[in-house]
Amino acid sequence: MHDIKMIREDAAGFDAGLVRRGILPLSRELLELDERRRAALARQQELQAERNAVSKKIGEAKRNKQDSAGLEAEGTRLRGEIEALDAEGPRLDGLLRGMLAKIPNLLDAEVPDGKDEAQNKQEKLWGAPREFSFTPKQHFELGEALGLMDFAGAAKLAGSRFTVLKGALARLERALGQFMLDTHTSEFGYSETTVPLLVNDATMFGTGQLPKFAEDLFQTTDGRWLIPTAEVSLTNLAAGEILSATNLPLRFTALSSCFRSEAGSAGRDVRGMLRQHQFSKVELVSITTPEQSWEEHERMTRAAEAVLERLGLPYRRMLLCAGDTGFSAAKTYDLEVWMPGQGTYREISSCSNTLAFQARRMNARYRAGEAKPDFVHTLNGSGLAVGRALIAVMETYQNEDGSIKVPDVLRPYMDGLDKIIAV
């Protein structure tokens, strides 16, 4: 969420930032509403002072046995005006906060202009796609032929965009998640965390999912929400807290199920596991001081890249353009892994610095020494999307007979199994 004080100080800069996002300038509307809110508060304080003065005069008149009827009438009038403002102030404040809550974060100066992913900037290319002596298959062709990937069974249980994994493929997915967690905890200092998959409105609001993206979420009958990413739960661990600067950065990781309605994605990636309502992901979250956050962004991205490199999966790092950067992010790197069956790169991780945007929404602050508390910076990244990593491994390590070689780093998690074959 944006600070209205900052908008007052640099309205032109705020509007310019919105234009980069493809949003018409809003500072005039926001500041007019803010002025009405502040005027109502100032008027309420003036009326309260007047009422206090009248009350004092009424007391003096009664002590002196003088007629106080006129003063009492004035006090009644002032009380009525104050009571009206008691409702008006919060109403205007709610309108202002509601407007601010729907405005995305402003972009970092390094983010390139552009309308969509076609204008994203490639910053790094690692590994060369494998050359096959046969035409590589897509993951769903491989999985179904192996008898270990069941889409029809999943549809019977839950409908479209679900998958049942069996046997060695189910174990391979589990191995990938464990390998990612072990890498991030033992080598990059993230603290493994188990978090709720169901959260309340305030938690969803804190990371920017509500109110703007309600249609992308699943809500339960008791009003709670299924998390679309463990970022929601992990980041909100700092909500309402004043942390010590000496304890920052905090780094959390979690392997969790994630749930997304995929609203608006009809017809996209309908085959296979690429776009599911339920999927597993290892999430990385950092809570830092403002001075630490950009260095932490690079560090987090490298942690995700390290997993891809150790799995031997070619990838590229993309700096997202203005039109492709998410609501809460000031700057985002996407890691895109090579999918041989599709013959293209697909996103497998997004690593974002949100600066203080989420922290303001959840009132997450830190204190350095005796200084006044200030907002922390929050960062999040996928380290990685487990289902998409499974797809990339299957397609990259497939053999002509349809079997799949198990990458060396995963064999300890598979009891030494080196190849997955048909059941």
Side-chain angles (χ1 to χ4, degrees):
M1 183 176 286
H2 297 285
D3 184 353
I4 191 64
K5 294 179 182 178
M6 295 175 62
I7 299 173
R8 286 190 219 123
E9 293 169 0
D10 186 14
F14 176 76
D15 283 341
L18 294 185
V19 170
R20 292 197 67 204
R21 284 277 197 176
I23 300 172
L24 293 175
L26 290 171
S27 67
R28 181 175 178 179
E29 186 176 354
L30 290 166
L31 292 177
E32 286 178 353
L33 186 55
D34 178 50
E35 183 58 33
R36 289 169 56 197
R37 178 183 65 94
R38 295 165 68 200
L41 178 60
R43 179 57 180 159
Q44 188 177 32
Q45 292 172 340
E46 291 173 4
L47 291 170
Q48 188 61 56
E50 292 179 25
R51 186 184 177 194
N52 291 342
V54 168
S55 295
K56 184 176 180 181
K57 290 178 181 179
I58 291 171
E60 292 174 352
K62 288 184 175 180
R63 283 194 298 272
N64 296 326
K65 298 182 179 180
Q66 296 173 342
D67 182 13
S68 62
L71 291 170
E72 290 176 359
E74 177 65 7
T76 299
R77 183 188 69 79
L78 290 170
R79 183 173 65 250
E81 286 194 46
I82 291 170
E83 288 176 353
L85 289 172
D86 281 342
E88 181 67 359
R91 186 186 74 83
L92 293 171
D93 188 62
L95 287 173
L96 180 60
R97 289 183 60 82
M99 286 186 64
L100 290 170
K102 295 178 181 179
I103 300 172
N105 202 354
L106 299 186
L107 301 168
D108 181 68
E110 293 186 2
V111 173
D113 290 330
K115 292 184 178 181
D116 54 38
E117 61 183 17
Q119 282 78 52
N120 293 343
K121 178 183 176 184
Q122 180 176 303
E123 298 227 321
K124 178 181 180 180
L125 186 65
W126 186 90
R130 174 186 167 189
E131 294 185 4
F132 290 84
S133 60
F134 57 93
T135 301
K137 296 178 180 178
Q138 296 198 54
H139 69 283
F140 50 83
E141 298 172 301
L142 293 164
E144 289 180 321
L146 289 167
L148 301 176
M149 190 175 280
D150 184 1
F151 298 104
K156 178 179 67 175
L157 299 174
S160 62
R161 297 192 186 275
F162 290 93
T163 307
V164 171
L165 296 177
K166 301 176 181 178
L169 276 190
R171 185 165 188 176
L172 182 61
E173 184 187 48
R174 174 160 57 92
L176 281 162
Q178 291 177 319
F179 168 67
M180 293 172 194
L181 284 178
D182 287 348
T183 300
H184 295 313
T185 56
S186 65
E187 298 186 36
F188 294 100
Y190 287 89
S191 176
E192 184 173 350
T193 312
T194 301
V195 296
L197 304 183
L198 285 167
V199 298
N200 57 30
D201 287 358
T203 301
M204 280 293 194
F205 178 85
T207 46
Q209 276 73 30
L210 290 180
K212 188 174 178 62
F213 301 106
E215 69 171 7
D216 296 324
L217 308 170
F218 288 110
Q219 188 174 26
T220 61
T221 54
D222 65 359
R224 286 178 287 191
W225 303 85
L226 287 164
I227 61 171
T229 164
E231 169 206 342
V232 174
S233 300
L234 292 172
T235 309
N236 274 278
L237 290 173
E241 302 290 333
I242 299 179
L243 306 169
S244 171
T246 58
N247 294 332
L248 300 180
L250 297 176
R251 300 185 178 110
F252 303 112
T253 186
L255 169 60
S256 77
S257 295
C258 306
F259 306 89
R260 298 182 185 178
S261 72
E262 293 296 340
S265 66
R268 296 174 59 195
D269 301 318
V270 293
R271 294 290 307 274
M273 290 180 59
L274 269 168
R275 199 175 295 275
Q276 300 271 278
H277 289 312
Q278 175 186 326
F279 58 95
S280 296
K281 181 156 68 78
V282 172
E283 188 69 8
L284 307 175
V285 163
S286 296
I287 313 294
T288 77
T289 65
E291 294 78 15
Q292 298 167 325
S293 69
W294 287 120
E295 181 180 350
E296 187 70 13
H297 189 213
E298 296 294 328
R299 184 184 189 278
M300 175 181 285
T301 307
R302 276 299 303 143
E305 289 175 341
V307 173
L308 288 168
E309 290 170 11
R310 289 169 199 183
L311 288 170
L313 299 175
Y315 69 88
R316 62 184 185 182
R317 181 199 287 203
M318 306 295 290
L319 173 59
L320 300 194
C321 72
D324 204 29
T325 301
F327 179 82
S328 294
K331 180 180 178 181
T332 297
Y333 291 123
D334 266 10
L335 301 182
E336 298 179 349
V337 67
W338 178 253
M339 302 284 196
Q342 294 186 47
T344 190
Y345 288 94
R346 297 300 298 260
E347 176 202 337
I348 195 168
S349 172
S350 286
C351 296
S352 300
N353 188 350
T354 77
L355 305 178
F357 184 81
Q358 291 179 331
R360 286 196 186 92
R361 297 173 77 96
M362 64 180 67
N363 194 29
R365 295 176 291 169
Y366 77 101
R367 189 195 305 272
E370 299 300 318
K372 183 179 177 182
D374 196 5
F375 290 107
V376 299
H377 281 192
T378 63
L379 303 94
N380 62 82
S382 309
L384 306 160
V386 179
R388 291 196 173 196
L390 176 66
I391 293 170
V393 167
M394 290 175 66
E395 294 189 5
T396 299
Y397 287 92
Q398 63 179 289
N399 297 309
E400 190 169 8
D401 63 1
S403 63
I404 298 168
K405 177 185 174 183
V406 176
D408 292 346
V409 293
L410 297 182
R411 291 178 188 177
Y413 299 90
M414 301 279 291
D415 266 352
L417 184 69
D418 62 359
K419 185 165 67 171
I420 297 174
I421 60 176
V423 296

